[in-house]
Amino acid sequence: MYIFKNSLKSISRNKGRNILIGIIIIVISCACAVTLSILNAANKIVSSYEEKYQIKASIGMNREKLVESFKESSSGEDMINSFNNIESVTKEEIEKYADSKYVSSYYYTYTLNMNSSNLKEATDSLVKETTTTTTRTETFGSGKYPGRPDGNYGGKRSTTTTKKTEEIKNLKAENGAFKLIGYNSYEAMTDFINGSYTITSGEVSSDFESNTCVISEELASLNNIEVGDTITLTSPKDSKITYELTVSGIYKENTEDSDDMTNMFSASVNDIITNSNVIENILSLSDDLDAELNPTFILTSSDVADKFSEEVTGKGLSEYYQVTNNLSEVESATESINNVKTFATTFLIITLIIGGVVLFVINMINIRERKYEIGVLRTIGMSKFKVISEFVIELLVVTIFGLIIGAGIGSLSSVKIANSLLENEIQNSSSNVEKINSNFGGHMFGEGGPQNKINGLVTIEKADSINAVVDIKVLGELLLIGVGLTFISSLASMISIQRFSPLEILRERS
């Protein structure tokens, strides 16, 4: 207690020097508070990007391996047969691959070609065969023939070919006029999430086991279909196999393909969007039907992308398939903000180095000026440890006051700085939530909606208070910085006091 009281008295006795130290600490703490708040804001942005652009792995064809196998084929027919013999990835295999410590979640999409008994396909791929009646007349022989009444021989011969006047064939009907796409979750519906598709009437059903679907505006207009109507799908291989779906929504395509003036309809005009349960029910009706299955795995981090690929290969993935990911896209999206983090970190290190050196020099001067005081304290029997502790406590008290004032000043300015950095992300986040909500038909993020986070999208809130930027974490970091600076600058007193001899100090004074 005596040491602490003496330290406080020493602070009041040496006001000028301690005010100077306090000002330096305020400047350092203010700069550190702002820098740490920038890092805090940058980490929020990076976290937002990493969640928005999750590390996704998917399974696709290994084109290089296919080309190698095709080189061994003697004809085009052999190549096609080889390709057809490659087995598709099954749902059971997807579940096996998803059972991994590297996967946080997964989803998949079915694609199945179907026909319809009450729905006319929208297509400009038609063959129109028009034939005409052709008559050919042939004249043969010429001259006089005494035996004939007219005295001539020879004649004419006509040939007529008759065909059907007109025949129209649908080239796509053989493999299924409509593409039935089944999703197993909202997260899989990336076309709606990124805005390629937007619901204009009705909504995407939140029940992923219902017999509902959404169809394109063009297809609905062509067939006079409205929300609530029923369509009947049939197997392209057996028209007796049927399945009924209720139209719960109508969507439009917003991609650049819709502006293609070379086609009458958009690329997705015949896409019927439903859930995976519908596809599985249809597949159970016939063994002749075959659906394409495309999985997507959400990885726990970017560091496990290669490990997951190796694990899937080890679990038996065919050599004709390969695991791909979007790692390069995510890294590209966070590159600019990571540069801000690097700059802020560099600035923080430079500030601490300069501040530590300045405080060390000031404390060295302080020790030399108070050399006689140290000699007296040592002469009356105070140990070196207690003398050092008194100087450290004195500097620590000044540092804490400086940190409090500096943190307060830095906090007031850091809110604006952090909001400035986060402004674009805040606007994008809010805009994306509203757009996705609209794309799905307006029920995704409303009160009582099925979920408030989709495909990693989270809302970034604007910092409207000091605690929103300079939080407990930042204050803790500032305290560590203060303790560190105190320790560094106190090294001068520790070294000097260890070297000082009380008798020599008093002798020099006399």
Side-chain angles (χ1 to χ4, degrees):
M1 183 61 68
Y2 168 77
I3 297 175
F4 183 75
K5 289 182 179 179
N6 199 44
S7 297
L8 295 179
K9 290 180 181 179
S10 179
I11 292 174
S12 61
R13 286 197 301 266
N14 301 279
K15 295 179 181 179
R17 182 186 63 252
N18 288 317
I19 289 175
L20 176 61
I21 295 175
I23 292 174
I24 295 173
I25 295 294
I26 290 173
V27 172
I28 294 174
S29 60
C30 182
C32 290
V34 172
T35 306
L36 291 173
S37 68
I38 291 174
L39 287 173
N40 201 14
N43 285 328
K44 285 185 178 180
I45 296 175
V46 171
S47 177
S48 168
Y49 272 121
E50 288 179 347
E51 291 186 341
K52 187 187 303 181
Y53 302 101
Q54 295 170 320
I55 306 300
K56 300 178 182 179
S58 56
I59 296 177
M61 297 300 299
N62 188 339
R63 303 297 175 186
E64 294 182 1
K65 189 64 180 178
L66 284 175
V67 171
E68 290 179 5
S69 64
F70 288 164
K71 288 180 180 179
E72 301 175 359
S73 301
S74 58
S75 65
E77 184 178 352
D78 291 338
M79 291 172 57
I80 295 174
N81 290 331
S82 297
F83 183 78
N84 291 335
N85 289 331
I86 298 175
E87 296 184 358
S88 301
V89 179
T90 64
K91 183 179 176 181
E92 290 72 20
E93 288 177 317
I94 292 174
E95 292 174 348
K96 180 174 67 173
Y97 301 149
D99 185 17
S100 168
K101 62 181 179 181
Y102 306 129
V103 177
S104 59
S105 63
Y106 73 101
Y107 54 84
Y108 51 86
T109 303
Y110 277 112
T111 302
L112 177 64
N113 292 326
M114 296 289 287
N115 288 331
S116 176
S117 60
N118 66 340
L119 205 60
K120 181 171 65 174
E121 177 193 10
T123 179
D124 53 9
S125 177
L126 299 174
V127 173
K128 182 177 181 181
E129 294 183 356
T130 302
T131 61
T132 58
T133 300
T134 303
T135 301
R136 187 180 64 178
T137 301
E138 181 182 358
T139 301
F140 60 91
S142 177
K144 296 292 184 178
Y145 185 65
R148 295 191 60 155
D150 56 4
N152 298 321
Y153 68 90
K156 294 182 179 180
R157 182 169 55 203
S158 297
T159 303
T160 302
T161 303
T162 303
K163 294 183 179 180
K164 292 182 180 179
T165 303
E166 187 177 79
E167 183 179 1
I168 299 176
K169 294 181 179 179
N170 184 349
L171 296 179
K172 297 181 180 179
E174 184 178 354
N175 295 321
F178 302 97
K179 182 188 290 185
L180 190 63
I181 304 174
Y183 299 99
N184 75 320
S185 68
Y186 280 117
E187 198 171 14
M189 306 178 77
T190 54
D191 286 324
F192 287 93
I193 295 172
N194 62 31
S196 296
Y197 296 164
T198 301
I199 291 292
T200 58
S201 178
E203 64 180 22
V204 176
S205 176
S206 59
D207 183 1
F208 279 78
E209 294 185 356
S210 64
N211 291 326
T212 60
C213 67
V214 295
I215 63 175
S216 67
E217 278 186 332
E218 297 164 290
L219 190 62
S221 177
L222 185 65
N223 292 273
N224 296 319
I225 298 292
E226 296 180 352
V227 173
D229 291 347
T230 300
I231 63 174
T232 302
L233 300 177
T234 61
S235 168
K237 298 181 179 180
D238 185 355
S239 60
K240 295 181 180 179
I241 298 176
T242 62
Y243 201 90
E244 290 188 350
L245 293 176
T246 301
V247 177
S248 65
I250 296 173
Y251 72 91
K252 69 175 181 178
E253 183 179 358
N254 302 317
T255 60
E256 294 179 357
D257 292 339
S258 60
D259 298 327
D260 185 0
M261 299 181 66
T262 61
N263 294 315
M264 292 174 58
F265 303 101
S266 62
S268 63
V269 62
N270 293 311
D271 290 354
I272 300 175
I273 297 174
T274 183
N275 57 73
S276 59
N277 186 65
V278 167
I279 304 286
E280 291 172 358
N281 289 339
I282 295 176
L283 292 176
S284 66
L285 299 176
S286 173
D287 294 334
D288 293 332
L289 293 173
D290 186 23
E292 180 184 351
L293 188 56
N294 297 311
T296 300
F297 306 92
I298 309 301
L299 304 184
T300 55
S301 70
S302 59
D303 299 330
V304 302
D306 292 336
K307 295 178 181 178
F308 175 70
S309 179
E310 293 174 359
E311 182 181 81
V312 170
T313 302
K315 287 182 176 180
L317 181 67
S318 170
E319 61 179 349
Y320 294 107
Y321 292 100
Q322 63 180 350
V323 179
T324 59
N325 58 63
N326 64 336
L327 189 58
S328 60
E329 298 175 13
V330 175
E331 291 176 347
S332 176
T334 58
E335 182 178 0
S336 59
I337 197 62
N338 279 325
N339 291 337
V340 174
K341 288 178 62 178
T342 301
F343 171 79
T345 302
T346 304
F347 179 78
L348 178 63
I349 293 173
I350 293 174
T351 301
L352 293 178
I353 291 175
I354 294 176
V357 170
V358 171
L359 288 175
F360 183 85
V361 172
I362 292 176
N363 208 33
M364 282 287 292
I365 297 173
N366 178 36
I367 294 297
R368 292 186 178 278
E369 290 178 352
R370 299 172 63 182
K371 196 173 182 180
Y372 179 73
E373 179 184 346
I374 295 171
V376 172
L377 292 174
R378 292 285 289 113
T379 302
I380 62 176
M382 185 177 287
S383 65
K384 292 181 180 180
F385 175 76
K386 290 183 177 180
V387 174
I388 292 173
S389 299
E390 181 179 326
F391 279 86
V392 172
I393 292 173
E394 179 182 337
L395 186 59
L396 183 60
V397 171
V398 176
T399 300
I400 290 175
F401 275 101
L403 284 174
I404 294 173
I405 298 173
I409 297 173
S411 298
L412 295 175
S413 57
S414 64
V415 171
K416 293 183 178 180
I417 294 174
N419 278 337
S420 177
L421 285 173
L422 287 169
E423 183 176 4
N424 185 59
E425 189 63 24
I426 293 169
Q427 293 175 351
N428 288 340
S429 176
S430 301
S431 176
N432 286 338
V433 170
E434 293 176 0
K435 286 180 180 178
I436 293 177
N437 196 22
S438 173
N439 294 343
F440 278 97
H443 69 282
M444 286 299 300
F445 295 93
E447 185 177 353
Q451 53 190 59
N452 57 14
K453 176 180 176 181
I454 184 170
N455 202 32
L457 179 65
V458 290
T459 54
I460 305 299
E461 300 295 338
K462 185 175 182 179
D464 55 2
S465 65
I466 292 177
N467 289 334
V469 179
V470 183
D471 51 16
I472 299 298
K473 178 182 177 182
V474 174
L475 291 176
E477 291 171 343
L478 285 174
L479 180 61
L480 290 176
I481 288 173
V483 172
L485 290 175
T486 301
F487 176 77
I488 293 173
S489 57
S490 297
L491 288 176
S493 61
M494 296 178 186
I495 296 172
S496 299
I497 292 174
Q498 289 291 339
R499 291 172 55 194
F500 288 163
S501 171
L503 296 178
E504 291 181 1
I505 293 173
L506 295 176
R507 190 181 303 113
E508 291 176 3
R509 180 72 174 179
S510 61

